[in-house]
Amino acid sequence: MYSYDMEWYVNELGTQVRRLILHLPEEADLLDVKKDCFSVYTERRDEHGDIVCSRPVWYEKELKKSAGYRTILAAYPSTKDGEPVRKSRFITLELDMNDWLSKTIVGSLDHSKFVDCIFRVTQTKELDVMVGMVFDEPGDILCPQTSMWSHGISSYEKLPLRYGFFTPKGNGRRPLIIWLHGAGEGGTDPRIAYMGNEVVALSSDKVQDYFGAAWVLAPQCPTMWMDDGSHTYGRTGKSMYVSALKVLIDEFVQIHEIDRNRIYIGGCSNGGFMTMRMLIDYPDFFAAAYPMCEALYDETITNQQISSICHIPVWMLHAMTDSVVNPEETSVPTYHRLKDAGAKNVHLTYINDRPPFKIVNHACWTLGLADKENYDFDGQPVILAGKPVTRFQWLAAQQRK
């Protein structure tokens, strides 16, 4: 029996097993290695070792056993990190990520969690003198996108919050980008807060270049940000986590070299709710905000609160087709009230289409984190310094006054 390493990849669907790196007893040659030389069987198991039953797609009702064969897209000799080479004692198998069994996280709108992805790779054709090899001993998990991410927990005794964070390159004071997760990413594993969705896009070279290198902070609450203490979803507009989150942010800013005039806050759905909540409760703290499909019902926001935050640059994102959070009760009326109150730098990208995945009718963050939308409520591009800009280009230019 031989071992294998897994490479995880974070994208708009969460975190998936993209490649397996097999450890061989001898060198293999590129000319001999073909994808039909192997078969890949996988099971997803819970903390008790039982095979998980889950929905292949979140909106389907039928639960299926998380076990089956994966499709191999390519096979080649590689370095231990998966880079192709001519000869090696490692073989990398690239797997089809359209397969629902590729996902390392299972869950619902309540909570998500990582599962154990167990593989058994069987050699089906001879490789030089190597025959009948079986790879079923798990080795390392590789995820280059999260290599600079770390974890922490706040010191607030009443309600400590866990968090993940990205450390930027270079020295000196850097801006801080805060991401607040949706309802499905609450719990006690801070990796879910930044790997349950493509939050690592904020630590990508593209976005980091916009900001000249920035810290990224992804707090996690045990339940959901909309929890007003009743542990249920409601329309009160309150959150039991307001003080706890502010303490976490203040501690993080104090510990690290943060430019206090460039602290940005955003998030999706429940996190969009909390973004707006934090602006209202701390109107002089943040440089700008980028809420997506935010769930703070406009009926809970007073005219005085609207006036108190209309100076804050805000760029909202919401889909007309959202069947989970109605934009006509949240983002749209709040946007209009801010504009009517005199807000000069408030935008709302109102999506009127559906990208390939059905979940995007609510999950507009798949587009928001990809930085693909750059137009305002009227359909015209958002202009900065005479040029159209994307949301993160715009965000990086904002400073607290």
Side-chain angles (χ1 to χ4, degrees):
M1 303 299 178
Y2 302 98
S3 64
Y4 62 87
D5 297 332
M6 281 186 286
E7 183 191 80
W8 287 5
Y9 184 71
V10 186
N11 60 19
E12 68 272 11
L13 296 179
T15 303
Q16 299 173 276
V17 180
R18 180 168 70 166
R19 301 194 295 184
L20 298 178
I21 301 171
L22 311 180
H23 294 231
L24 305 180
E26 301 179 34
E27 280 193 340
D29 188 282
L30 177 63
L31 296 177
D32 296 328
V33 179
K34 303 290 188 293
K35 63 182 182 181
D36 61 355
C37 292
F38 302 94
S39 69
V40 176
Y41 175 78
T42 186
E43 294 177 351
R44 299 191 301 173
R45 300 177 184 171
D46 62 21
E47 64 272 23
H48 307 296
D50 298 325
I51 296 177
V52 172
C53 290
S54 66
R55 298 175 180 86
V57 184
W58 76 272
Y59 51 80
E60 293 182 357
K61 294 182 179 180
E62 182 183 359
L63 296 177
K64 296 182 67 174
K65 220 172 187 181
S66 294
Y69 286 88
R70 297 286 305 277
T71 299
I72 302 173
L73 299 179
Y76 46 83
S78 70
T79 65
K80 64 179 181 179
D81 297 322
E83 295 302 314
V85 293
R86 182 72 174 76
K87 281 187 175 184
S88 178
R89 290 186 62 176
F90 301 95
I91 287 179
T92 290
L93 305 181
E94 294 185 1
L95 305 178
D96 183 2
M97 290 196 297
N98 289 319
D99 187 337
W100 70 286
L101 291 174
S102 68
K103 298 177 183 178
T104 67
I105 298 172
V106 297
S108 64
L109 290 178
D110 294 324
H111 278 97
S112 301
K113 59 183 178 180
F114 282 98
V115 293
D116 290 327
C117 298
I118 307 298
F119 289 88
R120 181 182 177 89
V121 181
T122 304
Q123 182 186 359
T124 56
K125 289 188 177 181
E126 182 177 331
L127 287 175
D128 196 13
V129 296
M130 292 178 282
V131 294
M133 291 184 295
V134 175
F135 303 83
D136 59 1
E137 297 180 6
D140 295 331
I141 296 175
L142 312 176
C143 189
Q145 295 160 290
T146 62
S147 62
M148 296 300 292
W149 282 77
S150 305
H151 303 138
I153 186 169
S154 70
S155 64
Y156 188 45
E157 291 185 8
K158 183 178 178 181
L159 192 53
L161 298 180
R162 291 175 171 83
Y163 59 90
F165 69 96
F166 168 79
T167 302
K169 298 176 182 177
N171 300 311
R173 296 198 177 277
R174 305 289 186 183
L176 171 63
I177 308 170
I178 301 167
W179 170 264
L180 303 178
H181 61 76
E185 290 78 53
T188 58
D189 185 345
R191 295 177 301 166
I192 296 290
Y194 61 90
M195 296 176 73
N197 295 311
E198 199 176 1
V199 181
V200 293
L202 300 176
S203 60
S204 68
D205 290 343
K206 173 186 173 182
V207 173
Q208 287 291 304
D209 285 346
Y210 291 159
F211 289 84
W215 295 88
V216 183
L217 173 63
Q220 184 186 41
C221 69
T223 58
M224 62 274 193
W225 299 115
M226 290 178 72
D227 188 346
D228 62 3
S230 64
H231 305 314
T232 60
Y233 294 100
R235 298 180 73 106
T236 66
K238 304 297 182 181
S239 172
M240 62 182 286
Y241 294 110
V242 169
S243 296
L245 178 57
K246 185 59 162 56
V247 168
L248 188 161
I249 295 170
D250 287 341
E251 286 184 353
F252 192 84
V253 170
Q254 185 175 2
I255 293 170
H256 303 287
E257 289 191 290
I258 306 293
D259 182 347
R260 297 178 184 231
N261 291 320
R262 299 184 68 196
I263 299 176
Y264 311 101
I265 189 167
C268 63
S269 193
N270 243 252
F273 157 89
M274 197 60 172
T275 297
M276 299 303 295
R277 183 74 263 161
M278 295 299 285
L279 294 187
I280 291 170
D281 290 345
Y282 306 100
D284 298 318
F285 185 81
F286 301 99
Y290 60 106
M292 309 179 197
C293 52
E294 63 95 353
L296 179 59
Y297 290 102
D298 182 72
E299 66 195 36
T300 68
I301 307 174
T302 68
N303 290 334
Q304 183 178 356
Q305 289 170 336
I306 288 289
S307 296
S308 73
I309 65 171
C310 68
H311 66 285
I312 306 173
V314 178
W315 190 335
M316 303 176 181
L317 177 66
H318 218 132
M320 295 181 187
T321 54
D322 194 327
S323 60
V324 177
V325 176
N326 185 350
E328 298 296 330
E329 295 181 305
T330 54
S331 299
V332 172
T334 300
Y335 165 79
H336 285 304
R337 289 175 68 194
L338 286 168
K339 297 291 284 186
D340 291 343
K344 304 297 183 185
N345 197 3
V346 173
H347 312 282
L348 170 57
T349 299
Y350 205 26
I351 303 170
N352 192 24
D353 60 8
R354 288 190 180 185
F357 305 106
K358 291 183 180 180
I359 61 171
V360 176
N361 70 342
H362 175 55
C364 62
W365 59 84
T366 60
L367 296 179
L369 288 169
D371 206 30
K372 290 183 177 179
E373 303 298 332
N374 66 348
Y375 54 90
D376 212 334
F377 191 77
D378 60 2
Q380 298 301 308
V382 175
I383 304 298
L384 185 67
K387 296 181 179 180
V389 289
T390 65
R391 293 174 80 237
F392 287 124
Q393 286 175 320
W394 169 88
L395 191 68
Q398 309 307 315
Q399 295 198 41
R400 186 179 62 166
K401 297 178 181 178

